Coordinates of all heavy atoms in Angstrom, one line a residue:
G37 N 3.2 -4.3 -4.0 CA 2.2 -4.4 -5.1 C 1.3 -3.2 -5.1 O 1.0 -2.7 -6.2
M38 N 0.9 -2.8 -3.9 CA 0.0 -1.6 -3.8 C 0.8 -0.3 -4.3 O 0.2 0.5 -5.1 CB -0.4 -1.3 -2.4 CG -1.5 -2.2 -1.9 SD -3.0 -2.0 -2.7 CE -3.3 -0.3 -2.5
L39 N 2.0 -0.2 -3.9 CA 2.8 1.0 -4.4 C 3.0 0.9 -5.9 O 3.0 2.0 -6.6 CB 4.2 1.0 -3.6 CG 4.1 1.3 -2.2 CD1 5.4 1.1 -1.5 CD2 3.5 2.7 -1.9
R40 N 3.3 -0.3 -6.4 CA 3.5 -0.4 -7.9 C 2.2 0.1 -8.6 O 2.3 0.7 -9.7 CB 3.8 -1.8 -8.2 CG 4.4 -2.0 -9.6 CD 5.0 -3.4 -9.8 NE 6.1 -3.6 -9.0 CZ 6.2 -4.6 -8.1 NH1 5.2 -5.5 -7.9 NH2 7.3 -4.7 -7.3
C41 N 1.1 -0.3 -8.1 CA -0.2 0.2 -8.8 C -0.3 1.7 -8.8 O -0.6 2.3 -9.9 CB -1.4 -0.4 -8.0 SG -1.6 -2.1 -8.2
L42 N 0.1 2.3 -7.7 CA 0.0 3.8 -7.7 C 1.1 4.4 -8.7 O 0.8 5.3 -9.4 CB 0.3 4.3 -6.3 CG -0.9 4.8 -5.5 CD1 -1.8 5.8 -6.3 CD2 -1.7 3.8 -4.8
F43 N 2.3 3.9 -8.6 CA 3.3 4.4 -9.5 C 2.9 4.2 -11.0 O 3.1 5.1 -11.8 CB 4.7 3.8 -9.2 CG 5.2 4.1 -7.9 CD1 6.0 3.2 -7.2 CD2 4.9 5.3 -7.2 CE1 6.5 3.5 -5.9 CE2 5.4 5.6 -6.0 CZ 6.2 4.7 -5.3
S44 N 2.4 3.0 -11.3 CA 2.0 2.8 -12.7 C 0.9 3.7 -13.1 O 0.8 4.2 -14.3 CB 1.5 1.3 -12.8 OG 2.5 0.4 -12.7
H45 N -0.1 4.1 -12.2 CA -1.1 5.0 -12.5 C -0.6 6.3 -13.0 O -1.1 6.9 -13.9 CB -2.0 5.2 -11.3 CG -3.1 6.2 -11.5 ND1 -4.3 5.9 -12.1 CD2 -3.2 7.5 -11.1 CE1 -5.1 7.0 -12.2 NE2 -4.4 8.0 -11.6
F46 N 0.5 6.8 -12.4 CA 1.0 8.1 -12.7 C 2.1 8.1 -13.8 O 2.7 9.1 -14.2 CB 1.6 8.8 -11.5 CG 0.4 9.2 -10.6 CD1 0.2 8.5 -9.4 CD2 -0.4 10.3 -10.9 CE1 -0.9 8.9 -8.6 CE2 -1.4 10.7 -10.1 CZ -1.6 10.0 -8.9
D47 N 2.5 6.9 -14.3 CA 3.5 6.7 -15.3 C 2.9 6.9 -16.7 O 2.0 6.2 -17.1 CB 4.1 5.3 -15.3 CG 5.2 5.1 -16.3 OD1 5.4 5.9 -17.2 OD2 5.9 4.1 -16.1
A48 N 3.3 8.0 -17.4 CA 2.7 8.3 -18.7 C 2.9 7.2 -19.7 O 2.1 7.1 -20.7 CB 3.3 9.7 -19.2
N49 N 3.9 6.4 -19.5 CA 4.2 5.3 -20.5 C 3.5 4.0 -20.2 O 3.6 3.0 -20.9 CB 5.7 5.1 -20.6 CG 6.4 6.3 -21.1 OD1 6.0 6.9 -22.0 ND2 7.5 6.6 -20.5
D50 N 2.7 4.0 -19.1 CA 2.0 2.8 -18.6 C 0.5 3.0 -18.9 O 0.0 4.0 -18.6 CB 2.3 2.6 -17.1 CG 2.0 1.2 -16.7 OD1 1.0 0.7 -17.2 OD2 2.7 0.7 -15.8
L51 N -0.1 2.0 -19.4 CA -1.5 2.1 -19.7 C -2.4 1.8 -18.5 O -3.6 2.0 -18.5 CB -1.9 1.1 -20.8 CG -1.2 1.4 -22.2 CD1 -1.6 0.3 -23.2 CD2 -1.6 2.7 -22.7
Y52 N -1.8 1.4 -17.4 CA -2.6 1.0 -16.2 C -3.1 2.3 -15.6 O -2.4 3.3 -15.4 CB -1.7 0.3 -15.2 CG -2.4 0.0 -13.9 CD1 -3.1 -1.2 -13.8 CD2 -2.3 0.8 -12.8 CE1 -3.8 -1.5 -12.6 CE2 -2.9 0.5 -11.6 CZ -3.6 -0.7 -11.5 OH -4.3 -1.0 -10.3
R53 N -4.4 2.3 -15.3 CA -5.0 3.5 -14.6 C -6.0 3.0 -13.5 O -6.7 2.0 -13.7 CB -5.8 4.3 -15.6 CG -5.0 5.0 -16.7 CD -4.2 6.1 -16.0 NE -3.3 6.7 -17.0 CZ -2.0 6.4 -17.1 NH1 -1.5 5.5 -16.4 NH2 -1.2 6.9 -18.0
I54 N -6.0 3.7 -12.4 CA -7.0 3.4 -11.4 C -8.2 4.3 -11.6 O -8.1 5.6 -11.6 CB -6.4 3.7 -10.0 CG1 -5.1 2.9 -9.8 CG2 -7.4 3.5 -8.9 CD1 -4.3 3.2 -8.6
E55 N -9.3 3.7 -11.9 CA -10.5 4.4 -12.4 C -10.9 5.5 -11.5 O -11.3 6.6 -11.9 CB -11.7 3.5 -12.6 CG -11.5 2.5 -13.8 CD -12.6 1.5 -13.9 OE1 -13.7 1.8 -13.2 OE2 -12.5 0.5 -14.6
N56 N -11.0 5.3 -10.2 CA -11.6 6.2 -9.3 C -10.6 6.9 -8.4 O -11.0 7.4 -7.3 CB -12.7 5.4 -8.4 CG -12.0 4.4 -7.6 OD1 -10.9 3.9 -7.9 ND2 -12.6 4.0 -6.5
L57 N -9.4 7.1 -8.8 CA -8.4 7.8 -8.1 C -8.5 9.3 -8.3 O -7.9 9.8 -9.2 CB -7.0 7.3 -8.4 CG -5.9 7.8 -7.5 CD1 -6.1 7.4 -6.1 CD2 -4.5 7.4 -8.0
D58 N -9.4 9.9 -7.6 CA -9.6 11.4 -7.7 C -8.6 12.1 -6.7 O -7.9 11.5 -6.0 CB -11.0 11.8 -7.5 CG -11.6 11.4 -6.1 OD1 -10.7 11.2 -5.2 OD2 -12.8 11.3 -6.0
A59 N -8.7 13.4 -6.8 CA -7.8 14.3 -6.0 C -8.0 14.0 -4.5 O -7.0 14.0 -3.7 CB -8.0 15.7 -6.3

Side-chain angles (χ1 to χ4, degrees):
M38 284 295 305
L39 292 171
R40 193 170 297 122
C41 289
L42 256 312
F43 295 148
S44 291
H45 175 81
F46 291 105
D47 183 348
N49 296 317
D50 195 325
L51 298 177
Y52 179 83
R53 294 290 174 263
I54 302 171
E55 292 177 14
N56 62 335
L57 188 64
D58 59 21

